[in-house]
Amino acid sequence: MNPRIKPLALAAAAFVLVAAGLGAGYWWGQSRDAGESTAAASTERKILYWYDPMVPQERYDKPGKSSMGMELIPRYADEGGGGGERKVLYWYDPMVPDQHFDKPGKSPFMDMELVPKYADGDAGADSGISITPGVRQNLGMRTAIVERGSLAGTVQAPGTVTWDLRKERVVSARVDSIVERLHVKAPYETVRAGQPLASVIAREWSTAMAEARALRGARTAAARSMGSAASERLRVLGMPADARAGAGGTVTLTSPVSGVVSEIGVREGESAGMGTLLFRVNGTDTVWLEASIPQASVGDIVRGTPVTATVTSMPGRTFEGRVETLLPQLDATSRTQKARIVLDNPGGTLAPGMFAQVTIQPVDGIEVPLVPTDALIGSGTQARVIVLGPDDRFKPVLVRTGRSGGGKTEILEGLSGGERVVTSGQFLIDSEANLSGALARLGVGAPDEPAPAKPPAPTTSGTPRPSTGANAPKPAPAAAAKPATRKVLYWYDPMVPDKHFDKPGKSPFMDMELVPKYADEPKTGTGR
C-alpha cells in the first residue's frame, strides 16, 4: 500500500467513529426526553378552571390575577365534588340569603353579583366543609390541639387595709368614776402591754381595794374568809386584774395589749359613767385586707388560699398572708365579693386605709379541655369552634365556655380534648358553614324569636317563585295558595337609613338600589 494513502484511511475511519458516537448519543437523549415527557404527561392533573378563594363562584379559563388582586388557584378534576358540572338550585344575595332567584345577575338589594346555590352544596354539610391545602395557605389558616388542664392563672384584685378586729381591746369604765389624769392624751399613739393609760377615782373600787388590803394579813379563819369575799367583790365590780392602786385613792388603768390607741373616749376631769368607753387599743402584729374579688373567680378561692400584697408607698416590698373567709355579701353594682385576708405586719408598717394590690393564687381545679381564646366564635349567648376532623373536613361545634386566662378558655361542654380547632381564619369557614346550612342543623344560628314569614322571592324576570333549599318556608295551606302582598312603608338606603323615599330606584347617596321597608317588619335600633 502507498505509504501516503495509509494516514488518510486512518483519519477517515476515526471521523466515521466519531460521527456514529454523536448520532447514538443524540438518539439516546431524544428517547429519554420523550420518555420523561410521556411520564410527566401521564401524571399531569386535569384542571377544570381557575378561581379566587375569596370569590369562589367566579371561574376563569386560565391562570392570572383575580379582580381582588390575588393569584387564581386551579380547580382539579380529581378534587372532591367530581369533575361533572354542578347543578345550581338557585341564586341568592349573601346579604339577603332568604331571597332566591332563578338566574344569575345583579342583586336588587346590593350592588353585587348573585351567588349560585349548588345542589351538592348541602351534601356532606353534616360532616363538615372541605378546603384545599392551597386555599388554606392563602387564607393563613392555623390550627391548635385542644389540651386538657386547669387554669392556674392568678387573680388580681384591689384591697384596703383595716385593723385586725380580733386583736382589738376596749378599756371602759365598769363603775362610775372621774378621770383624774390621762397618761395617753392623743390618739394613734403606740403603747406596750401594761403601760398606764389613765388614773381614775372610783369610790366602789377604792372601798373594795381598801377592804382587801386590810384583810390580806388576817390570821383568823373568819378574817381570811372576809378577805376572800373582798377580792371576789373586786372581780364582780369589774376591776381589771392589771389595775394598780395609786395615791389618794386613785386607780391606774393600763393597756391590755401592745399596739396603737386608736380612740380616746374621755378627757381629764370628766365624769365617766358605767360602760363609758375610755380607750380602744388595736394590735398591729397582723392587719386585715378586704379585697374585692370578681364573681367569676370566687369559686376557686377557699379558706387558707395564699396571698401576696403590695402597696404603692413601699415599692419592691411584699406582704404575705392568707384568705381567712369570704364575706357572705355580693356587691350588686361591681359584681364582686369581699374576701377578708389576714396579712402579717412586721414592725407595724401597714396602716388602716392604705390601698393595696392583691395577688391570689387559687388552688388548682379539675382538668377540663382548654382552647385558645382566639378560636372561639360568639353567637349571642352561644359559642362555637371550628374543628378539623380526621377526614380533613371542617365543621362547627357548639361549646359551653368557662373561665378565661392566659390566652386560654375552659370548655365545659362540646369538646373532650385532643381535637384540632382552627385559631385563624375560622370566621370565613363559619360564614361558609352558615350559608351551607351546617349551623342550622346544629341549631347554632337560630334566632331567639321566630322571624316573620316572608313571601316568595322575586326573580330577575319579575315572576315570583317558591323558595327551595334549607331556607325554604313551610308550605302554606291550599286555601292560601296566592300569597298576600306585603305593604311597603317606604324605601331607604341601608347606608343612610334615616332618609326615606316614596318609590324604588337608585340611591342618591350610594351606587346601589333602594331597599323597601315593610309594615310587618320588626322595628330596629336605627330609628326606622
Side-chain angles (χ1 to χ4, degrees), residues 19-353:
L22 291 174
Y26 177 78
W27 173 84
W28 180 82
Q30 290 293 327
S31 301
R32 185 169 179 268
D33 292 342
E36 291 179 352
S37 300
T38 304
S42 62
T43 59
E44 184 177 357
R45 300 172 67 187
K46 181 181 179 182
I47 298 177
L48 298 177
Y49 52 86
W50 280 262
Y51 67 97
D52 184 338
M54 303 302 295
V55 191
Q57 66 271 12
E58 295 185 4
R59 302 180 181 182
Y60 302 85
D61 295 332
K62 56 184 179 181
K65 290 278 188 178
S66 73
S67 58
M68 304 291 292
M70 298 181 62
E71 289 292 336
L72 299 176
I73 296 177
R75 170 74 176 184
Y76 296 102
D78 56 356
E79 289 183 351
E85 190 68 23
R86 302 174 69 187
K87 181 181 178 182
V88 178
L89 296 177
Y90 54 85
W91 281 262
Y92 65 96
D93 185 337
M95 304 302 294
V96 191
D98 292 335
Q99 301 292 339
H100 302 166
F101 303 89
D102 289 331
K103 55 185 180 180
K106 281 280 188 179
S107 169
F109 310 106
M110 302 292 178
D111 187 18
M112 60 187 301
E113 293 291 331
L114 297 175
V115 178
K117 175 68 174 181
Y118 296 103
D120 59 353
D122 289 339
D126 291 335
S127 59
I129 300 170
S130 177
I131 302 178
T132 60
V135 177
R136 299 183 197 177
Q137 183 177 3
N138 287 342
L139 296 179
M141 275 183 197
R142 295 193 300 271
T143 59
I145 299 294
V146 179
E147 301 176 351
R148 294 187 65 88
S150 58
L151 291 179
T154 57
V155 177
Q156 302 284 342
T160 305
V161 178
T162 63
W163 294 117
D164 185 349
L165 297 184
R166 301 188 190 280
K167 300 294 182 68
E168 183 179 272
R169 297 294 184 270
V170 172
V171 179
S172 62
R174 301 182 182 181
V175 295
D176 295 335
S177 58
I178 297 174
V179 179
E180 183 182 53
R181 180 184 178 188
L182 289 178
H183 300 282
V184 177
K185 300 182 179 180
Y188 299 106
E189 285 192 16
T190 302
V191 295
R192 64 182 184 278
Q195 178 177 334
L197 297 177
S199 296
V200 299
I201 299 175
R203 182 175 57 83
E204 297 181 67
W205 281 352
S206 299
T207 304
M209 290 177 67
E211 291 179 357
R213 282 197 304 269
L215 297 173
R216 189 171 301 162
R219 298 181 179 180
T220 63
R224 285 195 298 270
S225 63
M226 291 178 65
S228 299
S231 300
E232 183 65 20
R233 183 184 175 191
L234 286 174
R235 189 188 67 81
V236 171
L237 291 175
M239 182 174 178
D242 54 355
R244 300 194 295 265
T250 61
V251 177
T252 301
L253 302 178
T254 60
S255 174
V257 294
S258 298
V260 174
V261 177
S262 59
E263 184 179 354
I264 300 176
V266 293
R267 308 309 297 174
E268 289 183 354
E270 286 186 353
S271 174
M274 181 184 299
T276 301
L277 171 68
L278 302 180
F279 298 92
R280 189 186 304 274
V281 184
N282 292 94
T284 58
D285 293 340
T286 59
V287 292
W288 281 353
L289 182 63
E290 292 188 354
S292 300
I293 309 299
Q295 182 180 358
S297 304
V298 168
D300 297 325
I301 299 176
V302 297
R303 180 184 178 90
T305 301
V307 175
T308 58
T310 58
V311 293
T312 55
S313 60
M314 288 172 278
R317 185 174 179 181
T318 60
F319 298 86
E320 304 294 331
R322 64 193 182 281
V323 176
E324 183 181 74
T325 185
L326 287 171
L327 303 184
Q329 184 178 7
L330 192 70
D331 190 333
T333 303
S334 62
R335 309 306 300 171
T336 57
Q337 188 171 356
K338 294 288 186 181
R340 179 178 295 165
I341 299 168
V342 179
L343 287 181
D344 295 330
N345 188 24
T349 54
L350 293 177

